[in-house]
Amino acid sequence: MSTDTLVLKDQFPGLAGNWHYLDTGATAQKPQAVIDATVNALGRDYATVHRGVYARSAEMTLAFEAARRKVAAFLGGHEDEIVFTRGATEAINLVAQTWGVQNLKAGDRILLSTLEHHSNIVPWQLLRDRTGVEIDVCPLTEDGQIDLEAAERILTPAHKLVALAHVSNVLGSVLHVEHAAKLAHAVGAKLLIDGCQAAPRIALDVTAMQCDFYVFSAHKLYGPTGIGALWAKKALLDAMPPWQGGGSMIDRVTFEKTTYAPAPQRFEAGTPMIVEALGLGAAIDWLTAQGLDRAERHERDLAARLRAELGKRNDITLFGPADSVGIVSFAMDGVHPHDLGTILDEEGVAIRAGHHCAQPLMDHLGVPATARASFGLYSDDSDIEALMKGIERTRRIFG
């Protein structure tokens, strides 16, 4: 257990006491810096944005747009390529219902993978039902990676979109995004990346990755719930029609005709998530100060150690690759993951147990659910020790 990890734990009020939080993949605990930023934004500094002519509104508007610039820098993009959304789910739906409706038709195809989260499956099914576009599924390698060799064989000029997870929320496997982009672009398809599990633990550069769309949620990145972001290449955003109508996304409204604001404002109808945006900006500041390289190294290390400990047991089945980042899913012989999760809770250990919003992947793995331990920058060896102790107690109970 490193000294710096102990110092980090002290920054998280939600980790006070003898509690071992191993569910960061679902949502991350919040550092005091983020809590303070949101409290100040909701109280001392609060005002609306983009509307008031008074000083505090102008100051809040500057802070809100500064948060957009922080997101852009974090992703390696430009501020006019960043759309604030309620989260990654809304961001994917936005792309499906604007770019997708505008550009896809019956006979066109979308390629997904077996390991996708429901939020990167269902929006495309809704689009299929509306437009007649067809969906193909890329298989996985034996160790749980998206099989890009298979993807190359599947892709044809009929494919207009490839939508894949950067990091699997169940297996912790990491996609080689640059390779996926090369394959997609070779047949004229766009590439959308679900970055929910990657953004908190891998340094990102959308320009280098060459994807066309990238989405993430703030709450998995040590920020508040209710906000996330869509990054899209400027030319794509500029060509996409509005998604929702209302205030802020307009240029001029008459009863005869409405003209719309340029992107990204065109996609941000209504009063935005002011407090949440400032909280997201604070989370990016905090995470950037810790270092994404450090985050990835730390979480890969912990995942490897846990896999090694679980691998010593003959009643545990491990899923995913040996080099998973921050996430370890497993099953225990004769014990339903929900039962394991309940007993672990009695031991002060919090894990996720269920299908993880990835039921097609569960079908592929041949299990109804798995237990999942997921790490954050605040995680350490004591969390692994507590988990293993709880597993041993569970074995004694179930025999």
Side-chain angles (χ1 to χ4, degrees), residues 17-331:
N18 189 29
W19 193 49
H20 300 277
Y21 185 69
L22 289 170
D23 199 19
T24 300
T27 193
Q29 295 291 321
K30 316 307 173 193
Q32 190 64 50
V34 171
I35 296 170
D36 290 344
T38 55
V39 168
N40 289 336
L42 190 59
R44 182 193 68 192
D45 303 329
Y46 186 73
T48 192
V49 298
H50 299 147
R51 292 168 173 82
V53 296
Y54 47 92
R56 188 184 288 189
S57 175
E59 290 167 0
M60 185 61 91
T61 299
L62 289 174
F64 180 83
E65 291 302 330
R68 192 189 306 274
R69 289 193 294 276
K70 290 178 183 180
V71 173
F74 181 74
L75 295 177
H78 302 286
E79 63 181 296
D80 57 0
E81 298 170 325
I82 302 297
V83 179
F84 284 129
T85 64
R86 288 186 301 133
T89 297
E90 183 172 87
I92 294 172
N93 277 277
L94 190 162
V95 175
Q97 297 304 319
T98 57
W99 181 88
V101 169
Q102 184 182 59
N103 291 279
L104 302 183
K105 62 186 184 305
D108 290 336
R109 309 188 77 88
I110 295 172
L111 181 65
L112 309 178
S113 84
T114 301
L115 58 68
E116 299 308 313
H117 189 281
H118 295 166
S119 62
N120 199 28
I121 299 174
V122 179
W124 308 118
Q125 292 176 329
L126 293 172
L127 182 65
R128 177 188 61 192
D129 295 343
R130 181 173 177 179
T131 66
V133 66
E134 298 181 56
I135 296 173
D136 296 311
V137 181
C138 180
L140 307 181
T141 61
E142 191 172 333
D143 66 348
Q145 310 270 4
I146 296 174
D147 190 341
L148 291 181
E149 290 186 4
E152 185 173 14
R153 293 192 295 270
I154 293 168
L155 285 168
T156 70
H159 287 89
K160 305 304 180 185
L161 178 71
V162 178
L164 303 172
H166 195 165
V167 173
S168 167
N169 74 307
V170 176
L171 305 175
S173 49
V174 182
L175 175 71
H176 193 303
V177 178
E178 296 92 329
H179 188 187
K182 181 178 180 180
L183 296 179
H185 295 159
V187 297
K190 306 301 183 189
L191 177 65
L192 180 144
I193 296 295
D194 171 3
C196 277
Q197 299 296 339
R201 46 180 64 96
I202 295 177
L204 302 174
D205 184 343
V206 290
T207 301
M209 290 188 288
Q210 290 296 301
C211 54
D212 300 286
F213 304 97
Y214 199 96
V215 307
F216 74 92
S217 294
H219 73 99
K220 297 180 190 294
L221 195 135
Y222 307 99
T225 56
I227 189 169
L230 162 69
W231 171 86
K233 289 180 177 177
K234 187 64 165 60
L236 293 174
L237 273 186
D238 287 343
M240 286 159 55
W243 183 39
Q244 297 175 325
S248 294
M249 50 77 68
I250 56 87
D251 172 38
R252 177 84 172 95
V253 176
T254 69
F255 281 110
E256 290 72 37
K257 182 181 180 181
T258 294
T259 55
Y260 303 108
Q265 286 74 25
R266 182 189 310 150
F267 305 104
E268 296 179 2
T271 301
M273 319 81 157
I274 302 169
V275 173
E276 292 82 358
L278 270 63
L280 171 55
I284 288 174
D285 287 343
W286 182 87
L287 181 56
T288 302
Q290 309 312 313
L292 270 299
D293 291 343
R294 173 191 179 195
E296 181 175 0
R297 186 169 59 251
H298 179 69
E299 295 188 39
R300 282 190 185 275
D301 219 25
L302 287 171
R305 285 183 233 169
L306 177 55
R307 291 183 70 90
E309 290 299 316
L310 291 171
K312 296 174 184 177
R313 301 185 61 95
N314 59 15
D315 60 347
I316 295 288
T317 300
L318 280 163
F319 302 105
D323 63 347
S324 63
V325 56
I327 295 171
V328 178
S329 283
F330 60 95

Side-chain angles (χ1 to χ4, degrees), residues 328-376:
V328 178
S329 283
F330 60 95
M332 190 172 185
D333 293 350
V335 182
H336 193 281
H338 289 167
D339 294 325
L340 174 60
T342 299
I343 295 171
L344 287 172
D345 186 40
E346 295 172 355
E347 296 288 313
V349 179
I351 66 163
R352 176 81 180 269
H355 56 64
H356 316 294
C357 297
Q359 288 176 309
L361 178 55
M362 295 299 110
D363 293 341
H364 169 77
L365 297 175
V367 295
T370 71
R372 183 188 72 183
S374 51
F375 300 104

